[in-house]
Amino acid sequence: MLTVNKLLPQGQGLAAVLLKRAATVALDWDVRQKSRFDATDSQGRALGVFLPRGTVVRGGDVLVAEDGSLIRVEAAPQPVLRVTACAEHGSPFDLLRAAYHLGNRHVQLELRADHLQLEPDHVLADMLRQMHLIVTEVQAPFEPESGAYAAGGHGHGHGHAHEHDAHDHHGHVHGPGCGHPHP
């Protein structure tokens, strides 16, 4: 068994050619939120993954084995509920309302511009349908948001800097570079 104890978020710092040649491992969300698990990579090698407690593995991350080999993680398709707005009975704003209510229930949730995804739950599916949303069970990779206070920030597959000194000015939020002077 090949031991893995290092993770490079999104393959940070690795050349594209190395990522392309790396073995892969497809893992569902249940496995990727564990810091210790066994898996088999695309080359048939048995992996024993031992990451620091609390580590969450995302699709696109790269695992580094004890022998220096690289294993690119793919988010495996799994059963999820895809929630979309109903054009006939609602509006895209309904997705925002749904995200609010699901967040209040601390539901792991993937946010997309045109849909939400969550793990199957018939009670939540019924609640969402009562909100005039369309709920469909599909097989798809699941990458829920990591939460505002989680280490590493966003779970949407790319990194970027944020300015955190935005302020409220005359009823709407502004920050640096908004185009007008600030007191």
Side-chain angles (χ1 to χ4, degrees), residues 29 32-33 56 58 99 103 106-113 115-118 142-158 160 162:
W29 175 242
R32 290 184 289 119
Q33 59 184 323
V56 173
R58 297 287 181 172
H106 301 280
V107 172
Q108 292 283 321
L109 188 62
E110 181 175 351
L111 306 173
R112 297 294 178 144
H115 69 272
L116 306 173
Q117 288 191 158
L118 62 145
F142 183 53
E143 289 285 359
E145 287 291 309
S146 54
Y149 300 106
H154 305 285
H156 52 71
H158 65 275
H160 52 266
H162 291 277

Side-chain angles (χ1 to χ4, degrees), residues 113-131:
D114 63 345
H115 69 272
L116 306 173
Q117 288 191 158
L118 62 145
E119 293 179 294
D121 181 307
H122 72 279
V123 173
L124 294 175
D126 288 345
M127 176 193 79
L128 294 164
R129 286 183 185 106
Q130 287 176 5
M131 296 171 69

Side-chain angles (χ1 to χ4, degrees), residues 28-111:
D28 67 17
W29 175 242
D30 185 51
V31 173
R32 290 184 289 119
Q33 59 184 323
K34 296 176 182 172
S35 53
R36 287 162 172 56
F37 56 88
D38 293 333
T40 302
D41 73 10
S42 60
Q43 296 176 356
R45 299 179 298 179
L47 307 174
V49 179
F50 303 94
L51 298 170
R53 295 251 183 244
T55 300
V56 173
V57 180
R58 297 287 181 172
D61 287 349
V62 174
L63 300 170
V64 182
E66 63 189 348
D67 68 355
S69 61
L70 304 174
I71 303 101
R72 188 171 31 88
V73 176
E74 297 173 346
Q78 65 182 73
V80 294
L81 297 180
R82 181 164 291 159
V83 182
T84 56
C86 176
E88 188 177 333
H89 297 105
S91 74
F93 179 76
D94 293 335
L95 286 177
L96 188 59
R97 278 185 46 239
Y100 171 81
H101 288 289
L102 293 166
N104 269 347
R105 289 163 177 80
H106 301 280
V107 172
Q108 292 283 321
L109 188 62
E110 181 175 351
L111 306 173

Side-chain angles (χ1 to χ4, degrees), residues 18-33:
L18 292 175
L19 292 174
K20 188 175 182 179
R21 285 192 287 195
T24 59
V25 63
L27 305 170
D28 67 17
W29 175 242
D30 185 51
V31 173
R32 290 184 289 119
Q33 59 184 323

